[in-house]
Amino acid sequence: MRLLALDTCTEACSATVIIDDEAHSQYQIAPRQHSVIILPMIESLLAESGISLKQLDAIAFGCGPGAFTGVRLGASVTQGIALGADLPVIPISTLASLAHTAMRLQGANQVLSAIDARMGEVYYASFQGSSADDLSCIGEEKLSAPESIDLPEPQASIAQWTGIGSGWDTYHQQFLQRSEIVTGSLAFQWLEDKFPNALDIALLAKIQFANGKMLTPEEALPVYIRDKIV
Amino acid sequence: MRVLGLETSCDETGIALYDTDNGLLAERLYSQVSLHSEFGGVVPELASRDHIRKTLPLIRQTLNEARLSIDQIDGVAYTAGPGLIGALLVGAGIGRSLAWSLGIPAVAVHHMEGHLLAPMLEAVQPTFPFVALLVSGGHTLLVYVEKVGHYQILGESVDDAVGEAFDKTAKLLGLPYPGGPELSQLAKSGRQGIYRFPRPMVNRPGLDFSYSGLKTFAMNTVKKLGDSIDAQARADIAYAFQEAAVDSLVIKCKRALKQTGLTSLVVAGGVSANDCLRGELKKLCDKMSVELYFPKLEYCTDNGAMIAYAGSLRLMDGHIEEAVIEAKPRWPLDTLS
Ligand SMILES: Nc1ncnc2c1ncn2[C@@H]1O[C@H](COP(=O)(O)OP(=O)(O)OP(=O)(O)O)[C@@H](O)[C@H]1O
Ligand SMILES: [Mg+2]
């Protein structure tokens, strides 16, 4: 199975080509440079992995939430490539991809992903699972001020939660002052400096692909969460 | 060569297929006017969100109408600027990536070059060199056009664009957005000689324009009337505004033609749809024995056809660009080559 994944939703710009169990990835922190570097990045990954676009089975992309322009850029690039190469697309949530990062790097199985949404708010969601196959979102992805996010229900059996994403980097003080955490009914550790990564998007998309969850190129659409814009 | 054109610089999604042998094959235009009308102007984020939903379906419809599949196109042209950054990035992102994935050339088109060349889509075309008057929502330009890509700015607005002045004055008169066409409709029932608006910059040498004063004058006139303003007064104001706006354009065109000694005038951009402007320029050009060219009405405002056409000229000329997605919200026309 051959997948291309890309993400331009936040400060990081990344792409991954997966050929069965082999992955080729590039990841770069490049604020406002995504539009310039994304296609050359994909081109060099395809060259490195020795396959052409036509040999891919699908394109996965980080569909948001994140910066509006970045989220739309990823969707635009995906639409363009998918239309030209006649490929199905697989949207993957940036929050879910972060949860997968925490799982992959630290074996975390309860994750609260939060992305800085500017204007004093974060995009966030809680996830549980033990592998890419069973990673699931508890409730839904939301937007709120860091001090008023819905924290996951304390689970007696598993004590530890992991926080990941720029929302944590910016607002960990506010999170950690929440009474649930102060009183110890929820335990948190925090994984610093992580942005959505196309590698995790690809690994999650693999499961979607196996389950036949592909969309048409025109369905490669952004998920903004923040809809109050005027 | 078949070129797919994408226009997403503002509030219309325009897609067209232009064939350098057979002309325009098919096109689609989706206007977001109803989306923005309740806000009295274009909301950039809403515009971008709509473009990304509409572009691909419109490309498919355009291809279907031309009975072509995507791999039968030879190049992609997209508006890269000037315009709203977020909106531009959608067209540029989709267009550039599409061309890259098909392995065909792409070209970043200057929106105003698209407008300027729109009259070339007509049966009778202007010949170079000519003077161009570009009048739209964001621009008021007099351009010396030596040939494609060689543009010298003779004059421009020092403040508001003429289309913007039409829109703002229309809003003042309680007309729905975008007010330009509405105002010109209302002016039809206005009477000559009731109000006299100033003709900004005409007493000064040079070819620059100014429209913010006209808008202020309209505002003060409306204010002075207060509650006594009625339908007839509104129409009279619309008439006087349009008369002054058109007059200053005509005066500057006359000067530009005299100064350059050229005998062709091309008028394009949204405001070139204005029938008062068309009529007055016709009179001027007849008097001066100058050939006058307009795009057809649909191609005065934003559309994909003008972008596909402008792009096709550059691609035929061997234009090559890197696989880099670039949007240029500000991009002076005279920096083209
Ligand atoms: N009949 C008319 N009379 C006066 N103004 C008109 C008429 N029809 C359209 N317009 C004006 O034309 C403008 C829209 O033109 P166009 O679509 O070319 O502008 P734009 O794309 O918003 O700006 P730009 O091309 O400078 O980026 C609006 O300001 C509109 O009011
Ligand atoms: Mg325009």
Coordinates of all heavy atoms in Angstrom, one line a residue, chain B residues 295-336:
Chain B
P295 N -14.4 44.7 -23.3 CA -14.8 43.2 -23.3 C -16.3 43.2 -23.4 O -17.0 44.2 -23.1 CB -14.3 42.8 -21.9 CG -13.8 44.0 -21.2 CD -14.1 45.2 -22.0
K296 N -16.9 42.0 -23.7 CA -18.3 41.9 -23.5 C -18.7 41.9 -22.1 O -17.8 41.7 -21.2 CB -18.8 40.6 -24.2 CG -18.4 39.3 -23.6 CD -19.2 38.2 -24.3 CE -18.4 36.9 -24.3 NZ -18.9 35.8 -25.0
L297 N -20.0 42.2 -21.8 CA -20.3 42.5 -20.4 C -19.9 41.5 -19.4 O -19.4 41.8 -18.3 CB -21.8 42.8 -20.3 CG -22.3 44.1 -20.9 CD1 -23.8 44.3 -20.8 CD2 -21.6 45.3 -20.3
E298 N -20.1 40.2 -19.7 CA -19.7 39.1 -18.8 C -18.2 39.2 -18.4 O -17.8 38.7 -17.4 CB -20.0 37.7 -19.3 CG -21.3 37.4 -19.8 CD -21.4 37.6 -21.3 OE1 -21.6 38.8 -21.6 OE2 -21.4 36.7 -22.0
Y299 N -17.4 39.7 -19.3 CA -15.9 39.7 -19.1 C -15.4 41.0 -18.6 O -14.2 41.2 -18.5 CB -15.2 39.3 -20.4 CG -15.5 37.8 -20.8 CD1 -15.2 37.4 -22.1 CD2 -16.0 36.9 -20.0 CE1 -15.5 36.2 -22.6 CE2 -16.2 35.6 -20.4 CZ -16.0 35.2 -21.7 OH -16.2 34.0 -22.1
C300 N -16.3 41.9 -18.2 CA -15.9 43.1 -17.6 C -15.5 42.8 -16.1 O -14.4 43.2 -15.7 CB -17.0 44.2 -17.6 SG -17.3 44.9 -19.2
T301 N -16.4 42.1 -15.4 CA -16.1 41.7 -14.0 C -15.3 40.4 -14.1 O -15.0 39.9 -15.1 CB -17.4 41.5 -13.2 OG1 -18.3 40.8 -14.1 CG2 -18.0 42.9 -12.8
D302 N -14.9 40.0 -12.9 CA -14.0 38.8 -12.8 C -14.5 37.6 -13.4 O -15.7 37.3 -13.3 CB -13.7 38.5 -11.3 CG -12.9 39.7 -10.6 OD1 -12.5 40.6 -11.3 OD2 -12.8 39.7 -9.4
N303 N -13.6 36.8 -14.1 CA -14.0 35.6 -14.8 C -12.8 34.8 -15.0 O -11.7 35.2 -15.0 CB -14.7 36.0 -16.1 CG -13.8 36.7 -17.0 OD1 -13.1 36.1 -17.8 ND2 -13.8 38.0 -17.0
G304 N -13.0 33.5 -15.3 CA -11.9 32.6 -15.5 C -11.4 32.7 -16.9 O -10.2 32.4 -17.2
A305 N -12.2 33.1 -17.9 CA -11.8 33.2 -19.3 C -10.6 34.1 -19.5 O -9.7 33.7 -20.2 CB -13.0 33.6 -20.2
M306 N -10.7 35.3 -18.9 CA -9.6 36.2 -19.1 C -8.3 35.7 -18.5 O -7.2 36.0 -19.0 CB -9.9 37.6 -18.5 CG -10.0 37.6 -16.9 SD -10.6 39.2 -16.4 CE -10.2 39.1 -14.6
I307 N -8.4 34.9 -17.4 CA -7.2 34.3 -16.8 C -6.6 33.2 -17.7 O -5.4 33.1 -17.9 CB -7.5 33.8 -15.4 CG1 -8.0 35.0 -14.5 CG2 -6.2 33.2 -14.7 CD1 -7.2 36.2 -14.4
A308 N -7.5 32.4 -18.2 CA -7.1 31.3 -19.1 C -6.4 31.9 -20.3 O -5.4 31.4 -20.8 CB -8.3 30.4 -19.5
Y309 N -7.0 33.0 -20.9 CA -6.5 33.6 -22.1 C -5.1 34.2 -21.8 O -4.1 33.9 -22.5 CB -7.4 34.6 -22.6 CG -6.9 35.4 -23.8 CD1 -6.8 34.7 -25.0 CD2 -6.3 36.6 -23.7 CE1 -6.2 35.4 -26.1 CE2 -5.8 37.3 -24.7 CZ -5.7 36.6 -26.0 OH -5.1 37.3 -27.0
A310 N -5.0 35.0 -20.8 CA -3.7 35.7 -20.4 C -2.7 34.7 -20.2 O -1.5 34.8 -20.6 CB -3.9 36.6 -19.2
G311 N -3.0 33.6 -19.5 CA -2.1 32.5 -19.2 C -1.6 31.8 -20.4 O -0.5 31.5 -20.6
S312 N -2.6 31.6 -21.4 CA -2.2 30.9 -22.6 C -1.2 31.6 -23.4 O -0.3 31.0 -24.0 CB -3.5 30.6 -23.4 OG -3.9 31.8 -24.1
L313 N -1.3 33.0 -23.4 CA -0.3 33.7 -24.1 C 1.1 33.5 -23.6 O 2.1 33.3 -24.3 CB -0.6 35.2 -24.1 CG -1.9 35.7 -24.7 CD1 -2.0 37.2 -24.6 CD2 -1.9 35.3 -26.2
R314 N 1.2 33.5 -22.2 CA 2.5 33.3 -21.6 C 3.0 31.9 -21.7 O 4.2 31.7 -21.9 CB 2.4 33.7 -20.1 CG 2.1 35.2 -20.0 CD 2.3 35.8 -18.6 NE 2.2 37.2 -18.7 CZ 3.3 38.0 -18.8 NH1 4.5 37.5 -18.7 NH2 3.1 39.4 -18.8
L315 N 2.1 31.0 -21.7 CA 2.6 29.6 -21.8 C 3.0 29.3 -23.2 O 4.0 28.6 -23.5 CB 1.4 28.6 -21.4 CG 1.1 28.6 -19.9 CD1 -0.1 27.7 -19.7 CD2 2.3 28.1 -19.1
M316 N 2.3 29.9 -24.2 CA 2.7 29.7 -25.6 C 4.1 30.3 -25.8 O 4.8 29.9 -26.7 CB 1.7 30.4 -26.6 CG 0.4 29.7 -26.7 SD 0.5 28.1 -27.4 CE 0.5 28.5 -29.2
D317 N 4.4 31.3 -25.0 CA 5.7 32.0 -25.1 C 6.8 31.3 -24.4 O 7.9 31.7 -24.3 CB 5.5 33.4 -24.4 CG 6.4 34.5 -25.1 OD1 6.6 34.3 -26.3 OD2 6.8 35.4 -24.3
G318 N 6.4 30.1 -23.9 CA 7.4 29.2 -23.2 C 7.7 29.5 -21.8 O 8.7 29.1 -21.2
H319 N 6.7 30.2 -21.1 CA 6.9 30.5 -19.7 C 7.0 29.2 -18.9 O 6.3 28.2 -19.0 CB 5.6 31.2 -19.2 CG 5.6 31.4 -17.7 ND1 6.1 32.5 -17.1 CD2 5.1 30.6 -16.7 CE1 6.0 32.3 -15.8 NE2 5.3 31.2 -15.5
I320 N 8.0 29.2 -18.0 CA 8.3 28.0 -17.1 C 8.3 28.5 -15.7 O 8.9 29.6 -15.4 CB 9.7 27.4 -17.4 CG1 9.8 27.0 -18.8 CG2 9.9 26.2 -16.4 CD1 9.4 25.6 -19.2
E321 N 7.6 27.9 -14.8 CA 7.8 28.3 -13.4 C 8.0 27.1 -12.5 O 7.6 26.0 -12.8 CB 6.6 29.2 -12.9 CG 5.3 28.5 -12.8 CD 4.2 29.4 -12.3 OE1 4.2 30.6 -12.6 OE2 3.3 28.8 -11.6
E322 N 8.6 27.4 -11.4 CA 8.9 26.3 -10.4 C 7.6 25.8 -9.7 O 6.6 26.5 -9.7 CB 9.9 26.8 -9.4 CG 11.3 26.9 -9.9 CD 12.2 27.5 -8.8 OE1 12.5 26.7 -7.8 OE2 12.6 28.7 -8.9
A323 N 7.7 24.6 -9.1 CA 6.5 24.1 -8.4 C 6.4 24.8 -7.0 O 6.6 24.1 -6.0 CB 6.7 22.6 -8.3
V324 N 6.2 26.0 -7.1 CA 6.1 26.8 -5.9 C 4.8 27.6 -5.9 O 4.4 28.1 -6.9 CB 7.3 27.8 -5.8 CG1 7.0 29.0 -4.9 CG2 8.5 27.1 -5.3
I325 N 4.0 27.5 -4.8 CA 2.7 28.1 -4.7 C 2.9 29.5 -4.2 O 3.4 29.7 -3.1 CB 1.8 27.4 -3.8 CG1 1.6 25.9 -4.4 CG2 0.4 28.1 -3.7 CD1 1.1 25.0 -3.4
E326 N 2.5 30.5 -5.0 CA 2.8 31.9 -4.6 C 1.5 32.7 -4.8 O 0.9 32.7 -5.9 CB 4.0 32.4 -5.4 CG 4.7 33.5 -4.7 CD 5.8 34.1 -5.5 OE1 6.1 33.6 -6.6 OE2 6.4 35.1 -5.0
A327 N 1.2 33.5 -3.8 CA 0.1 34.5 -4.0 C 0.7 35.8 -3.6 O 1.4 36.0 -2.7 CB -1.0 34.2 -3.0
K328 N 0.4 36.8 -4.5 CA 0.9 38.1 -4.3 C -0.2 39.1 -4.2 O -0.7 39.7 -5.2 CB 1.8 38.5 -5.5 CG 2.9 37.5 -5.8 CD 3.7 38.0 -7.0 CE 4.2 36.9 -7.9 NZ 5.1 37.3 -8.9
P329 N -0.6 39.4 -2.9 CA -1.8 40.3 -2.7 C -1.5 41.7 -3.3 O -2.5 42.3 -3.8 CB -1.9 40.3 -1.2 CG -0.8 39.6 -0.6 CD -0.2 38.8 -1.7
R330 N -0.3 42.2 -3.2 CA 0.1 43.4 -3.9 C 1.1 43.1 -5.0 O 2.1 42.4 -4.7 CB 0.6 44.4 -2.9 CG -0.5 45.3 -2.3 CD 0.1 46.1 -1.1 NE 0.6 45.2 -0.1 CZ -0.1 44.7 0.9 NH1 -1.4 44.9 0.9 NH2 0.4 43.9 1.8
W331 N 0.8 43.5 -6.2 CA 1.7 43.1 -7.3 C 1.5 44.2 -8.4 O 0.5 44.1 -9.2 CB 1.2 41.7 -7.8 CG 2.1 41.1 -8.9 CD1 3.3 41.6 -9.4 CD2 1.8 39.9 -9.6 NE1 3.8 40.7 -10.3 CE2 2.9 39.7 -10.5 CE3 0.7 39.0 -9.6 CZ2 2.9 38.6 -11.4 CZ3 0.8 37.9 -10.5 CH2 1.8 37.7 -11.4
P332 N 2.4 45.1 -8.4 CA 2.2 46.2 -9.4 C 2.3 45.7 -10.9 O 3.2 44.9 -11.2 CB 3.4 47.2 -9.1 CG 3.9 46.8 -7.8 CD 3.6 45.3 -7.6
L333 N 1.4 46.2 -11.7 CA 1.3 45.7 -13.1 C 2.5 46.0 -13.9 O 2.9 45.2 -14.7 CB 0.0 46.4 -13.7 CG -0.3 46.0 -15.1 CD1 -0.8 44.6 -15.2 CD2 -1.4 47.0 -15.7
D334 N 3.2 47.1 -13.6 CA 4.3 47.5 -14.4 C 5.6 46.8 -14.0 O 6.7 47.0 -14.6 CB 4.6 49.0 -14.3 CG 4.7 49.6 -12.9 OD1 4.7 48.8 -12.0 OD2 4.9 50.8 -12.8
T335 N 5.5 45.8 -13.1 CA 6.7 45.0 -12.8 C 6.6 43.7 -13.7 O 7.6 42.9 -13.6 CB 6.7 44.5 -11.3 OG1 5.5 43.8 -11.0 CG2 6.9 45.7 -10.4
L336 N 5.6 43.5 -14.5 CA 5.5 42.4 -15.4 C 6.5 42.6 -16.5 O 6.9 43.7 -16.8 CB 4.1 42.2 -15.9 CG 3.0 41.9 -14.9 CD1 1.7 41.6 -15.7 CD2 3.4 40.7 -14.0

